[in-house]
Amino acid sequence: MEIDTRKNAEIRHATCCVIGCGPAGAMLGLMLAREGVDVLVLEKHSDFLRDFRGDTLHPSTLEIMDELGLAEGLLELRHTKARRITARLPGRTINVADLGCLKTRYPYITFMPQWDFLDFVTAEAGRYPNFRLEMNAEAKGLILEDGAVRGVRYLTPEGPREARALLTVSADGRSSPFREQAGLKMVRTSPPIDVLWFRLSRREGDPEDTFGYAGNGRFVAVINRGEYWQIAYVIRKGEYQSVRAGGLEAFRRSVGEAIPEFAGRTGEVGDWEDVKLLTVQADRLRRWHRPGLLCIGDAAHAMSPVGGVGINLAIADAVAAANALAEPLKAGRVRGRDLMAVQLRRWLPTRVIQALQSFAQRRVISSSLSPDGAPSLPRLAGVLLRLRPVRDLPARIIAFGIWPEHVRYTEPAVRAGRTQGARKESVR
Ligand SMILES: Cc1cc2nc3c(=O)[nH]c(=O)nc-3n(C[C@H](O)[C@H](O)[C@H](O)COP(=O)(O)OP(=O)(O)OC[C@H]3O[C@@H](n4cnc5c(N)ncnc54)[C@H](O)[C@@H]3O)c2cc1C
């Protein structure tokens, strides 16, 4: 570390500097460190505690963790599982996705608090001497020199700092200001919905499954989180203020009408503070990179919550980035085509999932929100969904997306670079 007296900012050097330690940044940090790259991850918060974030780990992510030798340890943390997702419509119940039919060691969605996942991943990454994580470190501006990004200026409680790096990765989520600063253009879409998240207690005799209610003006997802139910109550875009103006009692009544078996416990929503608004956003960058900079995860493409895929796509981006960039980073030269390779690998899976989410939002969710409405599928889709290979498609897409990412083989010599005390079972 050296002091830059000119700017009075301490300077850190790293081969790769990752802005943001969400699922994308944490996984990229872990994977690059594992490959022997000197990586510095900056996180603006002092911890990972944030309620109602992407808590849904799909089989694609569990398989990645398995390839890293970490799935077993991860699944020792508290979690719940859902093998099947059903939808209760007026007068009938349908199977939306049965992950149990998939050929994978992990045929279920794992619900785990995101902060537990991030604590786990960063603890694993911390076993590598070339991984550094700075908490309370808020990136403020890219360092641009000769048309290339050379690092980032950031603020810590101890004062301003600079991280100088061969590559800077923006993994700072869907509000990242660095895309604009880097001149990267965004394609925005306008999802017709927002989501209100809250909890209700789970009681003896409650069902075990995770399900949704759709129809008669409401769309509600009900997720079994062990000791409580996590409820996603979908509203039309921009309707939040009028829902609030209608009063808490009317909201509770509406929830009770949507989920009659929980009507007796809606009083647990004691205050609007218990209800968190997720403003649904869906967008994507046209170009994910410029010299010295790559965007991944929500910073490259904010996803709608439909299907709970956001965290899994963010992790898949991190794997693709580590696979494509570890060698160039170690060689000290990252070319435009190396960065382009990451976008080419991840663009289509992202684009297709966004298109499917948009379809689901308009044809299934929005149509359920109109009074006396019910989800509407084109007739052809209804017929095709009765055929076995097509019937398994929703489960396949939720589980693996369009194509899964796999961890590239690592030389044992690199893995031997782990510090002493590394858990043996984590090294494959
Ligand atoms: C309320 C809510 C519910 C959701 N539910 C689901 C779900 O059920 N399933 C699902 O798959 N997805 C869900 N998502 C989306 C999911 O959380 C994201 O897709 C996923 O977390 C994206 O990961 P990421 O690492 O790209 O970005 P993020 O998770 O947004 O992480 C970005 C990180 O960067 C940090 N950061 C931001 N700015 C800076 C800065 N200037 N300097 C340093 N650090 C910075 C942030 O503190 C954060 O830790 C939900 C999102 C929200 C908001």
Side-chain angles (χ1 to χ4, degrees), residues 52-374:
F52 297 124
R53 295 306 304 253
D55 291 350
T56 47
L57 302 180
H58 290 184
S60 57
T61 295
L62 265 295
E63 288 196 355
I64 288 166
M65 296 306 280
D66 190 37
E67 288 161 3
L68 291 167
L70 300 176
E72 215 174 292
L74 183 70
L75 291 175
E76 280 169 16
L77 304 180
R78 67 188 160 136
H79 67 277
T80 53
K81 294 185 175 92
R83 282 175 194 272
R84 184 181 296 177
I85 301 167
T86 53
R88 303 181 188 181
L89 312 178
R92 68 198 167 115
T93 297
I94 58 166
N95 215 352
V96 177
D98 183 358
L99 280 77
C101 69
L102 300 176
K103 286 199 184 89
T104 167
R105 287 180 71 185
Y106 309 99
Y108 43 77
I109 295 174
T110 306
F111 294 97
M112 178 181 288
Q114 196 180 100
W115 59 85
D116 284 345
F117 176 76
L118 294 176
D119 277 336
F120 179 84
V121 171
T122 51
E124 284 299 325
R127 296 173 190 276
Y128 294 92
N130 46 314
F131 174 85
R132 282 172 290 163
L133 169 61
E134 277 196 51
M135 303 297 287
N136 278 319
E138 181 168 7
K140 289 294 189 186
L142 299 174
I143 300 171
L144 285 153
E145 287 170 4
D146 306 325
V149 175
R150 307 280 185 209
V152 65
R153 294 191 178 82
Y154 64 104
L155 208 55
T156 72
E158 291 79 41
R161 288 185 184 157
E162 281 185 20
R164 296 214 156 237
L166 178 61
L167 177 68
T168 302
V169 177
S170 159
D172 50 325
R174 61 190 195 151
S175 307
S176 171
F178 305 114
R179 304 166 294 192
E180 201 181 332
Q181 201 190 333
L184 300 175
K185 299 266 181 301
M186 182 75 82
V187 179
R188 295 184 197 281
T189 65
S190 42
I193 55 166
D194 287 329
V195 180
L196 302 179
W197 293 99
F198 55 94
R199 298 170 180 220
L200 292 178
S201 60
R202 277 194 80 234
R203 299 184 185 170
E204 227 177 296
D206 276 357
E208 286 298 319
D209 57 337
T210 281
F211 51 91
Y213 283 91
N216 297 331
R218 295 185 189 88
F219 190 98
V220 184
V222 183
I223 302 167
N224 177 356
R225 299 302 301 266
E227 69 272 29
Y228 65 91
W229 291 104
Q230 181 182 343
I231 316 280
Y233 181 97
V234 181
I235 57 174
R236 287 188 192 287
K237 174 74 68 205
E239 214 177 57
Y240 177 59
Q241 286 310 333
S242 62
V243 172
R244 274 192 76 144
L248 204 53
E249 196 42 54
F251 177 66
R252 292 190 194 114
R253 203 165 42 245
S254 172
V255 174
E257 283 164 13
I259 330 171
E261 60 262 56
F262 296 172
R265 63 190 91 163
T266 54
E268 292 169 13
V269 183
D271 197 285
W272 285 111
E273 285 296 300
D274 297 335
V275 181
K276 301 277 180 292
L277 168 70
L278 167 63
T279 305
V280 174
Q281 186 179 321
D283 54 39
R284 56 187 175 272
L285 288 176
R286 278 187 208 283
R287 202 179 148 95
W288 296 18
H289 57 93
R290 64 171 284 173
L293 178 77
L294 173 70
C295 301
I296 61 169
D298 275 17
H301 48 73
M303 307 299 292
S304 152
V306 173
V309 294
I311 180 172
N312 301 284
L313 286 189
I315 289 168
D317 287 359
V319 175
N323 285 346
L325 300 174
E327 289 306 325
L329 282 165
K330 281 191 278 184
R333 184 160 176 241
V334 178
R335 292 161 302 182
R337 68 169 188 234
D338 299 319
L339 301 176
M340 172 64 92
V342 180
Q343 176 170 356
L344 285 178
R345 175 84 201 160
R346 297 302 309 153
W347 184 84
L348 188 65
T350 307
R351 187 68 195 86
V352 171
I353 295 293
Q354 285 190 332
L356 291 172
Q357 289 181 321
S358 170
F359 174 82
Q361 281 166 177
R362 287 178 199 288
R363 295 301 295 257
V364 182
I365 302 178
S366 280
S367 50
S368 305
L369 293 180
S370 38
D372 304 320

